[in-house]
Amino acid sequence: MKTSRIAEYLDYLFPNPQCELNYDKDYELLMAIVLSAQSTDKRVNMVTPVIFSKYQTLKELKNADISDLENIIRSIGSYRKKAYYLREIAKILDEKYNGLVPKDRDVLMTFPGVGRKTANVFLSEFYGEAAIAVDTHVERVSKRLGLAAVDDDVLKIEKKLMRRFPKETWAKRHLQLVLFGRYHCKAVRPQCDCCLLSDICKQKKVGK
Ligand code: SF4
């Protein structure tokens, strides 16, 4: 009952949710997701066109001067580490995977800077695979709405969400929960006064 009300509200607010990262190629998406950790999609979208116009192939990117790359992404958190990740991912894809990002979560998780969340976001967005990535927004919203317990870790939350929502909706629900957390149930000053889920929310008072 509660889950279906949440699903209905998500469909009402975000009937056609889209990933907000810009990309043209598979590896551009993967790298954009890596860059987006502890940053915003907006900020990532400002730097990725610069990276991919300066380094137009994986070969160019894997041979990039690390300080040039760092300078391009300096406005993004943890830019030194992320510049290293990008160059290493380019090297791995070029030398081991014929330039294509593999459609395999376990393989993706062996890449530097790629954890379960990043792999899930990539697989659901690029290959349309059924997956629910739990980022900071999904975690917060799931806990506030009682879809997960306050002390659940991200893996536990992912499993609970997969049990609650039908598999064919996982990719959509992930995007909707991200957008719900980003624009409606924000970390600070969530829009509780106009939220139609306030009666079932465990933390509606945070917005008052
Ligand atoms: Fe989020 Fe407030 Fe709605 Fe609860 S009532 S889900 S805290 S916006």
Side-chain angles (χ1 to χ4, degrees):
M1 176 62 183
K2 182 168 83 173
T3 308
S4 60
R5 268 197 61 200
I6 293 169
E8 272 173 31
Y9 194 41
L10 292 174
D11 285 339
Y12 165 72
L13 287 176
F14 309 105
N16 186 26
Q18 305 287 331
C19 171
E20 295 188 320
L21 290 168
N22 299 333
Y23 64 95
D24 288 324
K25 300 174 189 155
D26 55 356
Y27 71 81
E28 292 184 6
L29 173 62
L30 181 65
M31 292 180 185
I33 301 167
V34 168
L35 289 172
S36 71
Q38 281 99 46
S39 186
T40 63
D41 289 2
K42 205 171 162 186
R43 198 169 282 277
V44 172
N45 287 337
M46 288 165 74
V47 301
T48 44
V50 184
I51 300 172
F52 300 124
S53 64
K54 177 156 189 183
Y55 308 105
Q56 296 192 358
T57 64
L58 287 169
K59 283 190 200 317
E60 288 176 11
L61 193 46
K62 79 175 183 183
N63 292 317
D65 180 278
I66 198 73
S67 46
D68 283 349
L69 202 46
E70 285 174 1
N71 276 334
I72 295 172
I73 65 168
R74 191 173 282 272
S75 61
I76 303 241
S78 310
Y79 67 94
R80 285 210 168 91
K81 208 166 58 179
K82 289 177 181 172
Y84 167 79
Y85 291 157
L86 261 48
R87 216 171 59 161
E88 286 304 298
I89 291 171
K91 184 171 158 62
I92 294 168
L93 289 175
D94 184 52
E95 296 176 8
K96 280 183 76 176
Y97 295 99
N98 210 19
L100 296 172
V101 181
K103 191 180 177 181
D104 184 314
R105 182 166 61 200
D106 292 335
V107 173
L108 286 174
M109 286 172 64
T110 65
F111 288 18
V114 178
R116 188 178 178 92
K117 182 207 76 179
T118 298
N120 278 347
V121 173
F122 175 81
L123 292 172
S124 66
E125 169 65 17
F126 196 81
Y127 288 119
E129 290 219 333
I132 298 187
V134 180
D135 70 355
T136 179
H137 297 299
V138 177
E139 177 176 0
R140 181 180 66 255
V141 166
S142 299
K143 290 179 177 178
R144 284 179 176 174
L145 288 172
L147 295 169
V150 176
D151 54 358
D152 282 348
D153 61 24
V154 287
L155 187 57
K156 216 165 180 181
I157 297 169
E158 182 184 324
K159 288 182 175 165
K160 284 187 175 176
L161 293 175
M162 289 193 296
R163 279 201 297 274
R164 281 181 179 272
F165 295 111
K167 190 172 182 179
E168 64 275 14
T169 69
W170 289 352
K172 179 175 80 167
R173 294 293 175 230
H174 155 72
L175 286 168
Q176 289 175 324
L177 288 168
V178 170
L179 296 173
F180 186 65
R182 194 173 283 164
Y183 299 114
H184 184 92
C185 185
K186 296 179 272 191
V188 180
R189 296 165 66 98
Q191 298 177 10
C192 303
D193 289 342
C194 63
C195 181
L196 298 188
L197 298 176
S198 59
D199 60 316
I200 57 171
C201 177
K202 293 185 178 309
Q203 292 197 29
K204 60 188 171 195
K205 289 193 179 121
V206 293
K208 305 274 181 192

